C-alpha cells in the first residue's frame, strides 16, 4: 500500500520547548486518519509543518513516496495539501467567492478577475460535496459552521487531494458536526484523504480508519480504530485512566445568588433574542443551560455580564440589582465569566500569559499600587495558575498567542475560577480541551459548587450538561422552556425540548 | 532565527546603512565624490561645538513628535496629526510667552504646559470622534492639520499682531534659551528643550511599560473586545491615548516657540516636524529609547545636510534626495526585515 503522505521522524523546536520530537505519521490513500493528543502535545505544530508554515529541524516529508521540501503553504497547495485551521483565516467583509479566490484569482485575458468563472467553479464544487455554500454571502453574515465549509471549499478549489482538519468540530453544534461527518465521507468517496485532529473520541470511533497518538511531543503509535475503544484511546494519549463521568455529591443549594426576571435582550441587528426570560440560580448548585445555538444563549450571557444592554427586565445578584451595569461593576460584584470565544473576549493574544492572568484585576493590589504595576506579583500569580491548572507553556512571559488552543483555554479557566466568584458563568468551558483536561475542569467546577458558589454552565454538548449540572434549564427561542433534573431526563427528551416541543406542567416525561 | 531583541536593533541599523549606500550611489552617478559628501555631512553635524549644539537643538522636537506617534501607535492608533498639534502647541506657548507677566518659575512652566494642553486638545477631537462615532483617526488628524495651519496663521495676523507675519519675541521669563549651553557651543541656538524631550521619553517609557494606564491603553489597542470584557472603558482609553500623543507633539511646538525661535511666523506650509516624526517613530521601533536615538539621527542628517553644498559642492536638491533616500530606507524597514530573514535562512 502506498502512502499519500509520510512524515518521518519530524522534530520541531520552539524557544524553550520541543513541540515535535521524532514524530512519524503515515497517511494512506482514501483514509480518514485521526491525530490524537493532549493539549499542547504538538498536533497543530505537526500539521503546520506539513502545510509549510513551520520548517522542521529534522525529519523527512514524502508525498506519494517522493521526498519533498515544503517551505511555504503555496508549495503545500501545489502538492495537493489543504488545511482547515483551528482558527479560521477569512476576510470578514468579503464574500465567500472573494475569500476563496483570494491568492489564486482566475483572470481573463485582460488581467481582470473572472468573477463569473470563480462563482461557477465554487458552486460546482459545493454541489459535488454537498457543502451547500452560497458563493455570494458575506462571511460576516454566515454561521461559524458555514465559515468552516468555506475553508473546506477554499482547499478544494485549490485542488487539494489531502485535507487537514485541525479541531473542526470544536466550534460546531452537534447538528453541524453530523453534517461535517457526512461531508468528510463524501470527500473520501471522491478519492480524497483526510487527517483529522479532534479531542472527541466518539468522532474518531465514528469516522476514522486509523489513529496516531502523540504525547508531549513524542509519537506513541498508530492504531486501527476498528480494533480499539474510547477508553484505550484515552489512556494511550493521557498515559493514565480517564473517567468520563465525574463523581459528585448531591448538590445542597442554599440562598439565591442570581435572579433574572422577564429579561429582554436584542442582538446586534435589533431583533429580540432573549424574550422575557426568567431564571433563578442558588449558591451551591450548577445549572446547565441546554439549547440549540442561536436561541439567545450568547445574548443572555452578555446581558448578565454587562457586555450587552438589556432592553427590559431585571438581573439581580445577591439581591443587588446589576441590570445594565458596566462589565467592571458586574465583575466587582462577584461574577466570573469564561467566555465562549476565547480569542475575541478571553485573551489579549499579544500580551504575555502573566499579563492575561490579571486582565480583570490589574488595577488592584497586589498587582498594582498607585497605578504602578507590580510585575513580580503579576508573574507570581501567573506561575501559580499555570501550575495548578496545568497550563503548558514555556514560561509566564510567553505571549498568549504562542500557546496551543487548549492551553489558552486552561489559562482563562484558571484565571476565572481562581477568583472564586459568587457566580461563575462558564460558556463552553471545555471547548478544545483534551479528555484529561475536561475531567479536571469538571472537577474544578464541582469543587467551586461545593464551596457554595453558583455556576451557570452553557454548553452545546449534552454529555457535558448531563454530567456536570445539578439542574438543567432548557432554552428555546429566548426563554427557559423547561427545568429538569439530569437524573430524571434523557438526551432524547432534552433534544426534543431543545427543538421546542412542549412539556406539560409538572410532568417532565409527557412530551406532546 | 536571531533573538528578538538583536533583531529589532539590527533592522534600523541596516536600514540606515542601506540608505547611506543608496545615497552614495546617487552621488557617484551624479559625478560627486560620496566620501567628500559624507564627510561634509559629518562635519556639518558634528564638526565642532556649534554644529553639535545645532544638531541637539534640531533633535529635541523630533524626539517629541516621534514619541507622539510612537505612543499612539503602541496603543493601536495612527496619529498623522502631530503636525497640527505642533503648530497649536507652538502658538499656545508663544501666546503665553507674550501676554503673561510672571516670574520665570511660573511663566516658563506655564508656557510649556500651555503647549502640551493645546496639543492635547487638538488631538482630543480625533480621539472623541474615533471613540464615539468610529471615524478613522487618520482622516480626522489630517484635516486637523490643515485647520491648525490656517487657524494659527490667522491668529498670528489678526490677534497676536496687527497684520504682521511674525509675532514679537516672547518675554525672557518664558524662554528656554540657556546662556551656558550656548556659551559652550559657540552660541548655537541649543536650549533647555532637550532636557524636556529626554524627560518626556522617560515618561512615555514609564507610562507604557510600568503603569496600569499603559496596560489599559495597550490592551485596548490590541483587542477592544477583550478589554471591554475585562472592564476597561474602551472609549475613554482611545481618547486618552490621542490626548497624551497630542501633548507630546504640542511640547515639540514649545521647543520651537520658546527655544529655537522665541516667536512664531505665518507659514505657507507645514513644518514637517510631525511628518518626520512618523519616520522617527518607525526607525525607533516605537520605543521611547529607540525614538531618542532615531531623533538624534534625524537631527544630525538635517543639520549636516546644510554643509554638503558648501563643503562638497553638492547641490541642495541632491542633498534633499539623499536625505529622502535614507528616510525611505528607514521607513521601508519592513522590506529590510524581510531581507534579513531571507538571508538568515539561506545562511543556515
Ligand atoms: N509559535 C509558537 N511559538 C512558541 N511556542 C509555540 C508556538 N506554537 C506552539 N508552541 C508550543 O508548542 C507546543 C505544541 O503546541 P500545539 O499548538 O502544536 O499543540 P496542540 O497539540 O495543537 O494542542 P491543542 O490541542 O491545545 O490545540 C505548545 O507547548 C505550545 O506552547
Ligand atoms: Mg492545536
Amino acid at each position: 500500500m502506498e502512502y499519500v503522505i509520510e512524515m518521518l521522524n519530524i522534530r520541531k523546536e520552539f524557544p524553550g520547548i520541543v513541540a515535535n520530537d521524532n514524530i512519524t505519521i503515515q497517511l494512506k490513500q482514501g483514509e480518514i486518519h485521526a491525530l490524537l493528543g493532549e493539549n499542547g502535545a504538538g498536533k497543530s505544530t505537526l500539521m503546520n509543518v506539513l502545510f509549510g508554515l513551520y520548517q522542521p529541524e529534522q525529519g523527512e516529508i514524502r508525498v506519494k513516496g517522493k521526498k519533498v521540501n515544503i517551505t511555504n503553504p503555496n508549495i503545500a497547495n501545489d502538492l495537493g495539501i489543504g488545511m482547515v485551521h483551528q482558527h479560521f483565516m477569512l476576510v470578514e467583509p468579503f464574500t465567500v467567492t472573494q475569500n476563496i479566490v483570494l491568492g489564486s484569482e482566475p483572470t481573463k485575458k485582460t488581467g481582470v478577475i473572472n468573477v463569473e468563472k470563480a462563482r461557477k467553479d465554487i458552486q460546482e464544487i459545493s454541489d459535488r460535496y454537498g457543502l451547500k455554500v452560497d458563493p455570494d454571502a458575506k462571511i460576516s453574515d454566515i454561521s461559524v459552521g458555514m465559515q468552516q465549509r468555506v475553508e473546506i471549499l477554499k482547499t478544494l478549489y485549490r485542488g487539494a487531494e489531502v485535507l487537514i482538519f485541525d479541531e473542526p468540530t470544536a466550534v460546531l453544534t452537534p447538528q453541524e458536526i453530523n453534517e461535517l461527518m457526512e461531508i468528510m465521507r463524501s470527500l473520501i468517496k471522491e478519492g480524497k484523504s483526510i487527517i483529522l485532529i479532534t479531542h472527541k473520541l466518539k468522532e474518531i470511533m465514528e469516522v476514522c480508519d486509523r489513529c496516531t497518538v502523540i504525547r508531549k511531543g513524542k509519537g506513541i503509535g498508530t492504531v486501527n480504530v476498528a480494533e480499539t475503544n474510547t477508553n484505550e484511546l484515552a489512556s494511550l494519549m493521557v498515559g493514565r485512566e480517564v473517567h468520563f463521568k465525574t463523581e459528585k455529591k448531591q448538590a445542597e443549594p442554599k440562598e439565591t445568588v442570581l435572579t433574572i426576571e422577564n429579561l429582554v435582550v436584542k442582538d446586534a441587528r435589533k431583533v429580540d433574542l432573549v424574550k422575557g426570560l426568567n431564571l433563578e440560580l442558588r449558591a451551591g448548585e450548577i445549572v446547565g443551560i441546554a439549547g440549540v445555538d442561536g436561541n439567545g444563549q450568547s445574548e443572555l450571557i452578555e446581558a448578565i455580564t454587562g457586555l450587552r444592554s438589556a432592553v427590559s427586565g431585571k438581573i439581580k445578584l445577591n439581591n443587588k440589582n446589576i441590570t445594565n451595569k458596566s462589565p467592571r461593576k458586574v465583575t466587582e460584584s462577584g461574577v466570573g465569566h469564561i467566555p465562549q470565544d476565547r480569542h475575541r473576549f478571553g485573551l489579549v493574544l499579544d500580551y504575555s500569559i502573566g499579563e492575561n492572568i490579571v486582565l480583570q484585576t490589574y488595577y488592584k493590589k497586589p498587582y498594582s499600587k498607585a497605578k504602578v504595576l507590580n510585575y513580580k506579583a503579576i508573574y507570581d500569580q501567573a506561575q501559580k495558575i499555570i501550575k495548578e491548572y496545568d497550563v503548558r507553556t514555556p514560561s509566564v512571559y510567553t505571549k498568549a498567542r504562542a500557546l496551543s488552543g487548549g492551553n489558552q483555554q486552561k489559562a482563562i479557566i484558571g484565571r476565572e475560577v481562581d477568583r472564586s466568584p459568587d457566580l461563575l458563568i462558564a460558556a463552553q468551558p471545555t471547548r478544545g480541551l483534551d479528555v484529561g483536561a475536561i475531567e479536571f475542569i469538571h472537577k474544578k467546577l464541582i469543587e467551586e459548587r461545593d464551596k457554595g458558589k453558583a455556576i451557570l454552565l452553557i454548553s452545546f454538548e449534552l454529555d457535558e450538561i448531563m454530567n456536570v449540572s445539578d439542574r438543567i434549564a432548557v432554552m428555546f427561542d429566548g426563554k427557559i422552556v423547561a427545568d429538569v433534573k439530569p437524573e430524571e431526563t434523557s438526551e432524547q427528551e432534552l433534544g426534543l425540548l431543545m427543538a421546542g416541543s412542549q412539556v406539560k406542567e409538572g410532568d417532565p416525561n409527557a412530551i406532546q | 532565527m536571531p533573538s528578538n531583541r538583536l533583531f529589532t536593533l539590527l533592522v534600523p541599523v541596516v536600514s540606515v546603512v542601506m540608505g547611506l549606500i543608496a545615497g552614495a550611489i546617487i552621488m557617484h552617478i551624479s559625478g560627486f565624490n560620496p566620501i567628500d559628501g559624507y564627510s561634509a555631512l559629518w562635519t556639518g553635524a558634528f564638526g565642532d561645538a556649534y554644529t553639535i549644539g545645532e544638531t541637539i537643538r534640531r533633535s529635541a522636537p523630533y524626539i517629541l513628535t516621534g514619541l507622539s506617534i510612537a505612543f499612539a501607535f503602541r496603543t493601536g492608533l495612527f496619529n498623522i496629526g502631530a503636525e497640527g498639534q505642533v503648530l497649536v502647541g507652538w502658538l499656545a506657548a508663544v501666546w503665553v510667552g507674550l501676554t503673561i507677566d510672571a516670574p520665570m518659575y511660573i511663566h516658563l512652566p506655564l508656557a510649556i504646559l500651555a503647549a502640551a494642553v493645546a496639543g492635547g486638545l487638538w488631538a482630543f477631537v480625533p480621539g472623541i470622534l474615533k471613540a464615539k462615532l468610529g471615524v478613522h483617526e487618520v482622516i480626522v488628524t489630517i484635516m486637523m492639520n490643515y485647520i491648525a495651519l490656517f487657524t494659527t496663521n490667522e491668529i498670528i495676523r489678526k490677534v497676536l499682531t496687527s497684520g504682521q507675519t511674525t509675532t514679537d519675541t516672547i518675554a525672557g521669563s518664558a524662554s528656554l534659551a540657556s546662556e551656558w549651553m550656548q556659551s559652550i557651543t559657540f552660541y548655537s541656538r541649543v536650549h533647555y528643550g532637550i532636557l524636556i524631550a529626554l524627560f518626556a521619553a522617560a515618561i512615555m517609557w514609564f507610562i507604557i511599560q510600568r503603569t496600569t494606564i499603559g496596560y489599559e491603553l495597550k490592551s485596548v489597542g490590541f483587542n477592544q473586545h477583550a478589554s471591554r470584557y475585562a472592564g476597561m472603558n474602551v472609549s475613554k482609553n482611545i481618547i486618552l491615548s490621542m490626548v497624551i500623543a497630542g501633548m507630546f507633539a504640542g511640547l515639540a511646538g514649545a521647543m520651537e516657540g520658546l527655544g529655537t525661535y522665541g516667536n512664531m511666523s505665518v507659514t505657507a506650509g507645514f513644518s514637517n516636524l510631525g511628518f518626520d516624526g512618523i519616520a522617527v517613530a518607525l526607525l525607533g521601533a516605537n520605543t521611547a529609547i529607540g525614538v531618542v536615538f532615531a531623533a538624534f539621527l534625524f537631527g544630525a542628517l538635517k543639520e549636516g545636510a546644510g554643509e554638503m553644498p558648501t563643503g562638497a559642492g553638492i547641490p541642495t536638491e541632491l542633498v534633499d534626495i539623499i536625505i529622502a533616500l535614507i528616510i525611505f530606507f528607514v521607513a521601508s524597514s519592513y522590506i529590510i526585515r524581510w531581507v534579513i530573514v531571507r538571508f538568515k535562512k539561506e545562511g543556515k
Side-chain angles (χ1 to χ4, degrees):
Chain A
M1 175 91 210
E2 190 180 79
Y3 294 111
V4 268
I5 300 279
E6 291 172 273
M7 299 182 78
L8 305 172
N9 309 314
I10 301 292
R11 181 183 177 89
K12 174 70 203 163
E13 295 169 22
F14 289 116
I17 207 158
V18 184
N20 290 163
D21 186 0
N22 204 14
I23 297 184
T24 292
I25 179 171
Q26 293 168 305
L27 178 68
K28 287 182 189 166
Q29 167 65 39
E31 74 168 343
I32 305 185
H33 193 122
L35 182 56
L36 180 67
E38 287 178 285
N39 295 124
K43 306 178 293 293
S44 299
T45 305
L46 186 68
M47 289 303 110
N48 284 334
V49 167
L50 180 55
F51 194 54
L53 287 168
Y54 297 145
Q55 303 309 307
E57 267 81 43
Q58 257 175 46
E60 191 173 313
I61 301 176
R62 292 192 196 151
V63 175
K64 298 207 176 107
K66 266 220 323 267
K67 186 174 178 230
V68 292
N69 195 2
I70 308 176
T71 48
N72 66 54
N74 289 332
I75 297 180
N77 278 329
D78 294 345
L79 290 169
I81 301 169
M83 180 152 177
V84 177
H85 289 273
Q86 193 164 1
H87 305 106
F88 302 154
M89 302 184 171
L90 296 170
V91 186
E92 293 237 330
F94 278 19
T95 66
V96 169
T97 303
Q98 287 168 333
N99 264 285
I100 291 174
V101 298
L102 201 65
S104 60
E105 299 87 348
T107 50
K108 296 180 189 165
K109 280 208 187 83
T110 49
V112 178
I113 299 180
N114 192 341
V115 182
E116 256 325 294
K117 178 171 183 318
R119 273 198 75 239
K120 251 186 46 215
D121 290 351
I122 291 166
Q123 191 69 59
E124 197 260 324
I125 303 173
S126 168
D127 292 345
R128 175 139 46 106
Y129 299 98
L131 294 171
K132 302 195 189 97
V133 170
D134 170 10
D136 299 318
K138 253 200 200 145
I139 297 298
S140 49
D141 293 342
I142 60 178
S143 71
V144 172
M146 270 299 163
Q147 291 182 10
Q148 185 173 67
R149 293 183 189 189
V150 175
E151 289 278 11
I152 299 173
L153 251 174
K154 212 158 97 183
T155 65
L156 295 172
Y157 181 80
R158 285 163 168 66
E161 289 299 317
V162 173
L163 283 89
I164 307 166
F165 286 89
D166 193 351
E167 288 190 49
T169 58
V171 291
L172 300 183
T173 61
Q175 172 64 26
E176 287 172 328
I177 293 177
N178 286 336
E179 289 169 12
L180 178 65
M181 299 284 150
E182 272 319 302
I183 292 170
M184 287 193 187
R185 288 196 186 100
S186 70
L187 285 168
I188 294 299
K189 233 182 269 154
E190 296 280 329
K192 313 280 179 195
S193 316
I194 294 177
I195 299 179
L196 171 68
I197 300 180
T198 179
H199 289 295
K200 297 181 191 163
L201 303 174
K202 271 201 298 199
E203 291 168 6
I204 296 181
M205 298 309 295
E206 201 182 317
V207 290
C208 295
D209 302 299
R210 296 192 304 147
C211 175
T212 294
V213 183
I214 58 180
R215 194 194 302 158
K216 298 199 172 143
K218 290 201 172 63
I220 297 294
T222 303
V223 292
N224 281 326
V225 170
E227 294 157 17
T228 187
N229 56 50
T230 50
N231 283 328
E232 191 192 6
L233 284 178
S235 47
L236 265 179
M237 111 185 207
V238 185
R240 64 172 167 88
E241 289 261 341
V242 176
H243 305 279
F244 292 100
K245 190 133 179 77
T246 319
E247 296 295 321
K248 62 174 186 189
K249 301 183 302 209
Q250 191 67 33
E252 290 165 16
K254 301 202 178 60
E255 73 284 357
T256 305
V257 172
L258 176 74
T259 321
I260 301 179
E261 289 166 12
N262 295 319
L263 184 71
V264 178
V265 188
K266 287 188 194 304
D267 71 354
R269 273 161 289 168
K270 305 267 176 261
V271 182
D272 283 0
L273 274 204
V274 177
K275 306 173 179 173
L277 179 138
N278 290 293
L279 181 70
E280 199 166 277
L281 189 54
R282 290 155 174 276
E285 71 170 347
I286 301 178
V287 170
I289 299 224
V292 178
D293 191 14
N295 276 284
Q297 295 95 323
S298 312
E299 287 72 20
L300 170 65
I301 303 169
E302 289 179 9
I304 302 174
T305 50
L307 288 166
R308 186 183 288 281
S309 52
V311 179
S312 64
K314 213 173 217 171
I315 305 169
K316 284 192 291 187
L317 185 77
N318 292 328
N319 252 326
K320 276 208 312 265
N321 187 3
I322 58 162
T323 325
N324 290 338
K325 288 273 179 336
S326 71
R328 167 85 25 111
K329 284 261 162 58
V330 173
T331 308
E332 285 181 343
S333 41
V335 177
H337 176 197
I338 299 164
Q340 188 169 333
D341 188 337
R342 59 175 168 248
H343 281 182
R344 201 175 164 86
F345 288 110
L347 294 167
V348 177
L349 289 173
D350 293 297
Y351 268 169
S352 69
I353 282 300
E355 286 166 313
N356 271 294
I357 290 295
V358 295
L359 205 54
Q360 296 104 325
T361 45
Y362 63 92
Y363 60 96
K364 288 189 179 157
K365 272 185 199 166
Y367 309 122
S368 69
K369 222 169 108 183
K371 296 205 183 276
V372 178
L373 293 166
N374 177 352
Y375 275 106
K376 179 159 188 322
I378 292 173
Y379 286 119
D380 282 350
Q381 169 70 6
Q383 202 70 51
K384 186 191 118 186
I385 300 270
I386 67 168
K387 211 164 147 218
E388 191 176 332
Y389 289 83
D390 188 29
V391 180
R392 302 205 185 146
T393 166
S395 80
V396 286
Y397 313 107
T398 308
K399 279 196 181 163
R401 192 182 290 288
L403 261 59
S404 79
N407 283 300
Q408 292 173 342
Q409 184 70 9
K410 285 193 270 181
I412 296 174
I413 296 175
R415 175 181 76 205
E416 298 305 311
V417 174
D418 188 73
R419 290 210 316 275
S420 201
D422 290 345
L423 169 66
L424 178 64
I425 300 172
Q428 312 263 50
T430 56
R431 179 183 263 186
L433 294 189
D434 66 56
V435 285
I438 291 177
E439 182 191 8
F440 174 76
I441 296 305
H442 285 170
K443 258 198 212 139
K444 275 282 172 188
L445 292 181
I446 292 164
E447 240 175 74
E448 283 299 301
R449 177 200 77 171
D450 292 342
K451 275 194 228 159
K453 309 293 176 179
I455 291 161
L456 187 63
L457 171 73
I458 295 94
S459 176
F460 299 134
E461 308 228 11
L462 288 183
D463 276 358
E464 179 163 50
I465 293 271
M466 294 282 273
N467 194 356
V468 183
S469 317
D470 301 311
R471 201 145 66 75
I472 300 173
V474 181
M475 189 158 177
F476 174 74
D477 194 24
K479 285 194 192 110
I480 302 295
V481 291
D483 193 334
V484 293
K485 288 236 150 67
E487 320 72 85
E488 293 165 8
T489 186
S490 62
E491 292 206 8
Q492 284 83 343
E493 190 197 19
L494 281 180
L496 285 168
L497 288 166
M498 281 158 56
S501 300
Q502 297 290 314
V503 176
K504 271 202 201 121
E505 272 315 300
D507 183 1
N509 295 317
I511 295 169
Q512 288 183 346
Chain B
M1 212 44 204
S3 82
N4 246 334
R5 202 157 254 212
L6 188 72
F7 195 62
T8 22
L9 212 69
L10 207 58
V11 170
V13 170
V14 172
S15 307
V16 172
V17 171
M18 283 178 71
L20 290 171
I21 293 173
I25 293 171
I26 296 277
M27 279 190 263
H28 184 75
I29 291 173
S30 328
F32 299 100
N33 184 343
I35 298 182
D36 289 350
Y38 283 134
S39 47
L41 181 73
W42 178 263
T43 325
F46 305 107
D48 54 30
Y50 174 83
T51 54
I52 291 175
E54 282 290 304
T55 296
I56 293 173
R57 172 193 68 80
R58 267 187 202 268
S59 306
Y62 282 137
I63 294 178
L64 287 160
T65 52
L67 289 177
S68 171
I69 283 126
F71 189 90
F73 201 81
R74 288 291 286 278
T75 61
L77 295 168
F78 209 6
N79 180 20
I80 306 288
E83 195 60 52
Q85 294 144 18
V86 168
L87 289 175
V88 297
W90 188 338
L91 183 81
V94 168
W95 201 329
V96 171
L98 286 172
T99 52
I100 286 177
D101 193 14
M104 187 160 196
Y105 63 90
I106 296 176
H107 200 181
L108 180 57
L110 199 65
I112 294 170
L113 190 69
V117 170
L121 279 176
W122 213 250
F124 174 79
V125 178
I128 196 160
L129 287 175
K130 164 108 182 179
K132 299 290 178 200
L133 301 172
V135 189
H136 203 286
E137 73 276 13
V138 166
I139 295 167
V140 184
T141 49
I142 289 175
M143 295 198 295
M144 293 295 286
N145 284 342
Y146 286 97
I147 301 174
L149 179 64
F150 298 124
T151 314
T152 49
N153 279 347
E154 201 58 16
I155 290 178
I156 294 169
R157 277 201 209 95
K158 298 274 162 64
V159 184
L160 293 181
T161 69
S162 38
Q164 252 92 58
T165 52
T166 301
T167 66
D168 291 338
T169 302
I170 53 164
S173 54
S175 172
L176 279 169
S178 152
E179 197 80 33
W180 76 268
M181 281 173 97
Q182 290 181 349
S183 69
I184 57 168
T185 58
F186 295 134
Y187 296 92
S188 72
R189 286 174 292 173
V190 69
H191 52 80
Y192 284 126
I194 187 69
L195 302 179
I196 295 175
L198 292 176
F199 184 65
I203 298 263
M204 143 133 184
W205 172 85
F206 186 73
I207 293 179
I208 288 281
Q209 301 293 351
R210 284 284 173 268
T211 66
T212 57
I213 304 165
Y215 179 92
E216 282 193 21
L217 289 171
K218 281 186 290 181
S219 171
V220 169
F222 284 137
N223 182 345
Q224 296 197 0
H225 296 288
S227 305
R228 225 157 73 74
Y229 157 90
M232 299 169 195
N233 184 336
V234 172
S235 306
K236 188 194 96 183
N237 276 293
I238 289 175
I239 297 171
L240 182 65
S241 168
M242 278 310 280
V243 168
I244 295 177
M247 290 175 85
F248 282 131
L251 282 176
M255 301 293 101
E256 305 296 80
L258 307 177
T260 307
Y261 300 104
N263 62 24
M264 189 172 187
S265 301
V266 171
T267 55
F270 292 117
S271 66
N272 277 335
L273 283 175
F275 297 132
D276 288 342
I278 299 173
V280 170
L282 264 175
L283 181 60
N286 296 309
T287 63
I289 180 84
V291 162
V292 170
F293 282 115
F296 276 117
L297 177 76
F298 261 68
L301 283 176
K302 294 261 159 154
E303 186 59 37
E307 181 66 18
M308 288 170 83
T310 40
I314 299 170
T316 19
E317 290 79 8
L318 199 54
V319 173
D320 285 343
I321 293 176
I322 294 163
I323 302 295
L325 265 178
I326 296 175
I327 296 176
F328 171 81
F329 273 96
V330 163
S332 50
S333 61
Y334 171 78
I335 302 171
I336 314 268
R337 190 173 287 263
W338 182 79
V339 170
I340 296 180
V341 170
R342 207 44 204 258
F343 189 71
K344 282 269 161 195
K345 255 191 199 149
E346 260 153 42
K348 232 180 3 198

